Amino acid sequence: MLAPGSSSLAVSEGVGSNPPLVLITGANGFVGSRLAPWLASSGKFRVRTLSRYRNFSFPEQVDQSVVAHPFDAAVLAEAVNGVDVVIHCAGRAHVMDDTSGSSLQSYRDINVDYSLRLARAAMSAGVNRFIYLSSVKVNGECTDGRAPFHPLDTPMPEDAYGLSKWEAEQALSETLGDQCELVVVRPPLIYGEGVKGNFARLQTAIIARKPLPLGLLINKRSLISLPNLVDFIECCLTHPQAAGRVFIPCDQQDFSVREMVRQLAYTNNVRPLLLPVPVWCLKLAGRLLGRSEAVGRLCGSLRVDHAHTADWLGWSAPFTPFEKTS
């Protein structure tokens, strides 16, 4: 990747009637569905999206390309035509306890192969910058007994999803070379309106005031709210120091699982029911139920370097963690 300040393809913020054209893939996903209207409403960018179905909640400024076959070369060529920056959010999401024998290949088909097809189309179209939404899982799963994850750490993915994201990063870097600026964003756990998976299940349990055996979990986790991630991606669109770099943006305040539950309860105006169950009991239950890996991750810490993005880009999270939206 390029050294800081060596960019010769820096994207300038548009002025007047011709701001930069940004293509967002996966625009109906958790991140893309917030990112597209955010950028369009700013007035600083023209926004085009590529997805399988139309999002009727998007403002009319968003040019939606709805396609049945996003892998098709002609579709990709048309999507990137005239584009200044690609923000590649589309991908096969992480699935806990995915025991499918074809799991790794299923992740590779989308996270690696599709990303490369898009990158080749972007290069042919003369796209200046390619922002890839990766994952902190490229770094690993746990920081217990070690320093927080840093973008320059040796990648150590532990599951099929993390491995596919790391393979995609390497392939994109090799393919794009110095013809198109690559920016890799590896967010930790993203939360916010519309979140799914384990975080959504935890939030549902808290709102229902179900007892949770998490009262003694004092581990530390780095997170990023959806508004903060979207703001960070906007920064990466034009910042010359972002070119050729890897970033792990976060809320810059770490939480234990216990603190996270309390914050979510406060946000939803309920009182949490936290039971003081020892960590060793949780891990024993995990072994007995065949969920040792999931429980181990729940009980472990995963922290990222807070200072890196501030040092390189002058960026810090503008929104308060777990801020109430209403």
Side-chain angles (χ1 to χ4, degrees):
M1 290 189 176
L2 299 174
S6 66
S7 169
S8 61
L9 299 171
V11 180
S12 301
E13 289 192 26
V15 293
S17 60
N18 194 36
L21 177 59
V22 177
L23 173 69
I24 302 173
T25 68
N28 286 305
F30 179 46
V31 176
S33 62
R34 181 68 174 265
L35 181 62
W38 175 294
L39 296 181
S41 299
S42 74
K44 295 184 291 185
F45 308 96
R46 292 173 293 148
V47 176
R48 178 186 297 164
T49 66
L50 180 64
S51 58
R52 293 180 183 271
Y53 59 94
R54 184 169 299 278
N55 190 323
F56 291 98
S57 66
F58 283 172
E60 62 180 9
Q61 304 101 295
V62 176
D63 175 18
Q64 299 191 60
S65 298
V66 182
V67 297
H69 304 288
F71 271 76
D72 186 81
V75 167
L76 294 178
E78 182 177 356
V80 298
N81 183 39
V83 166
D84 297 291
V85 184
V86 169
I87 305 176
H88 186 31
C89 299
R92 188 173 192 266
H94 176 246
V95 178
M96 287 294 293
D97 302 324
D98 189 344
T99 57
S100 168
S102 61
S103 173
L104 178 55
Q105 188 56 50
S106 297
Y107 282 116
R108 282 173 170 161
D109 288 343
I110 303 298
N111 296 342
V112 182
D113 295 348
Y114 178 54
S115 298
L116 284 181
R117 292 182 186 221
L118 179 64
R120 294 186 186 112
M123 287 181 61
S124 297
V127 170
N128 292 331
R129 182 169 288 187
F130 192 107
I131 299 175
Y132 179 57
L133 191 67
S134 185
S135 169
V136 76
K137 284 179 170 288
V138 169
N139 287 72
E141 296 289 345
C142 179
T143 56
D144 288 342
R146 56 153 294 165
F149 285 142
H150 188 281
L152 297 182
D153 290 343
T154 300
M156 298 184 66
E158 296 182 20
D159 62 11
Y161 173 77
L163 180 58
S164 71
K165 286 292 191 178
W166 170 227
E167 291 176 348
E169 289 184 21
Q170 296 176 88
L172 286 171
S173 180
E174 181 178 347
T175 300
L176 295 174
D178 59 1
Q179 297 183 54
C180 178
E181 297 173 344
L182 175 62
V183 182
V184 173
V185 181
R186 294 179 189 162
L189 177 65
I190 309 166
Y191 66 94
E193 185 178 356
V195 68
K196 298 180 180 178
N198 290 332
F199 198 94
R201 287 189 284 271
L202 175 63
Q203 185 167 256
T204 298
I206 292 168
I207 294 172
R209 303 204 70 234
K210 293 182 178 180
L212 298 170
L214 308 175
L216 297 182
L217 286 184
I218 58 173
N219 55 339
K220 289 295 183 179
R221 313 282 297 189
S222 296
L223 316 169
I224 188 164
S225 72
L226 184 55
N228 280 333
L229 177 58
V230 166
D231 185 85
F232 178 76
I233 293 173
E234 180 180 356
C235 175
C236 289
L237 276 169
T238 59
H239 201 301
Q241 292 288 90
R245 309 304 303 182
V246 176
F247 298 99
I248 312 178
C250 63
D251 280 347
Q252 298 174 297
Q253 179 180 351
D254 298 336
F255 292 89
S256 68
V257 170
R258 180 176 65 186
E259 291 167 339
M260 193 188 311
V261 169
R262 289 172 175 168
Q263 289 289 333
L264 284 169
Y266 169 75
T267 301
N268 290 281
N269 299 307
V270 297
R271 175 177 289 183
L273 294 178
L274 283 164
L275 304 181
V277 177
V279 174
W280 70 265
C281 289
L282 293 176
K283 292 184 176 180
L284 176 60
R287 286 197 297 271
L288 294 175
L289 297 173
R291 296 181 59 84
S292 293
E293 185 177 348
V295 173
R297 291 174 180 174
L298 176 70
C299 297
S301 293
L302 195 163
R303 302 178 62 213
V304 306
D305 188 308
H306 291 182
H308 181 258
T309 52
D311 291 344
W312 279 96
L313 304 181
W315 182 88
S316 59
F319 298 98
T320 303
F322 297 99
E323 187 172 10
K324 290 187 177 183
T325 58
S326 61

